[in-house]
């Protein structure tokens, strides 16, 4: 099953080589959290697949490098998003978001309701992953509070998905748990945007 999932997520990942895959994975993680350009990038599936590839006996990938690199890229991405929002404000965010601006009100409501937890939970939902760090900045959330949530979120999402992929391929006794963890994260990243789109369509017709 690990071979099937790896090729389903991206059949070309294994052909990139270690350095190419590191660059791709770290770049996707940063772009999804640090810029609005990465709004629809498949971060969750790519992280799990990278872990799968690292777990293979023939792999040249280093699990510690993947885990540390992904965590740093996620923390740095959120940090860039936070300071962009704090320095440039909501008007900049509104202009920069383009068509994705339709998600802004819900993202802001989610942040206002959950605060610190929103910064952690947003990692698992693509449109929240893109907006929440910037919104935290525009709302002038204290940086120390934001940073702690940033690190916890990076570990829970990025590092955990890589480790789940690695365990699913190399440790048979935890394979079921690993696939369950990854399945929930990946499913959420696919289903939530679809449900949101359907609701918007229904609201527009009403």
């Amino acid at each position: 099953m690990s071979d099937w999932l790896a090729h389903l997520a991206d059949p070309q990942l294994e052909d990139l080589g270690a350095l190419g895959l590191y660059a791709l994975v770290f770049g996707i993680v940063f772009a999804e959290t640090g810029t609005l350009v990465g709004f629809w990038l498949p971060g969750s599936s790519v992280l799990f697949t990278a872990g799968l590839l690292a777990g293979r006996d023939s792999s040249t990938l280093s699990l510690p490098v993947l885990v540390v690199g992904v965590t740093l890229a996620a923390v740095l991405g959120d940090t860039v998003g936070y300071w962009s929002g704090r320095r440039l404000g909501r008007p900049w965010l509104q202009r920069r978001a383009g068509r994705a601006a339709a998600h802004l009100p819900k993202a802001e409501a989610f942040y206002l309701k959950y605060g610190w937890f929103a910064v952690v939970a947003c990692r698992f939902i693509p449109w929240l992953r893109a907006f929440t760090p910037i919104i935290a900045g525009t709302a002038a959330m204290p940086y120390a509070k934001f940073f702690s949530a940033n690190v916890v979120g990076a570990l829970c999402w990025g590092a955990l998905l890589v480790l789940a992929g690695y365990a699913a391929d190399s440790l048979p006794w935890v394979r079921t748990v690993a696939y369950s963890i990854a399945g929930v994260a990946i499913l959420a990243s696919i289903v939530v945007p679809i449900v949101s789109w359907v609701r918007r369509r229904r609201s527009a017709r009403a």
Side-chain angles (χ1 to χ4, degrees):
M1 184 171 180
S2 62
D3 288 334
W4 174 81
L5 185 56
H7 287 288
L8 178 66
D10 191 334
Q12 303 301 320
L13 280 182
E14 198 168 17
D15 299 331
L16 292 175
L19 291 178
L21 198 142
Y22 290 144
L24 176 67
V25 173
F26 300 159
I28 285 176
V29 170
F30 175 83
E32 276 201 305
T33 54
T35 71
L36 294 176
V37 177
F39 191 77
W40 291 110
L41 289 173
S44 296
S45 58
V46 168
L47 290 174
F48 186 74
T49 303
L52 281 176
L53 297 177
R56 294 177 176 174
D57 293 336
S58 60
S59 177
T60 58
L61 294 173
S62 165
L63 180 64
V65 170
L66 271 177
V67 170
V68 172
V70 163
T71 302
L72 290 176
V75 170
L76 181 60
D78 259 26
T79 300
V80 170
Y82 173 87
W83 286 112
S84 296
R86 183 138 184 181
R87 292 180 181 275
L88 301 174
R90 195 184 188 284
W92 169 84
L93 174 58
Q94 186 76 36
R95 293 192 304 270
R96 177 86 180 200
R99 294 181 180 179
H103 292 288
L104 262 177
K106 290 182 179 179
E108 288 175 325
F110 185 82
Y111 169 77
L112 290 174
K113 184 175 182 179
Y114 296 106
W116 186 93
F117 176 75
V119 178
V120 176
C122 76
R123 298 286 189 177
F124 295 90
I125 306 172
W127 55 274
L128 284 179
R129 199 152 60 228
F131 283 120
T132 302
I134 302 175
I135 292 171
T138 61
M141 181 181 190
Y143 183 70
K145 185 177 180 180
F146 171 81
F147 182 75
S148 66
N150 183 8
V151 173
V152 171
L155 290 171
C156 289
W157 173 69
L160 186 60
L161 276 176
V162 171
L163 290 171
Y166 181 86
D169 194 86
S170 61
L171 302 173
W173 61 277
V174 295
R175 186 167 293 168
T176 300
V177 175
Y179 277 123
S180 299
I181 293 172
V184 170
I186 294 171
L187 187 63
S189 70
I190 295 172
V191 171
V192 172
I194 292 175
V195 172
S196 180
W197 178 79
V198 170
R199 286 179 176 175
R200 290 200 310 274
R201 290 292 298 270
R202 288 179 178 176
S203 298
R205 291 176 181 175

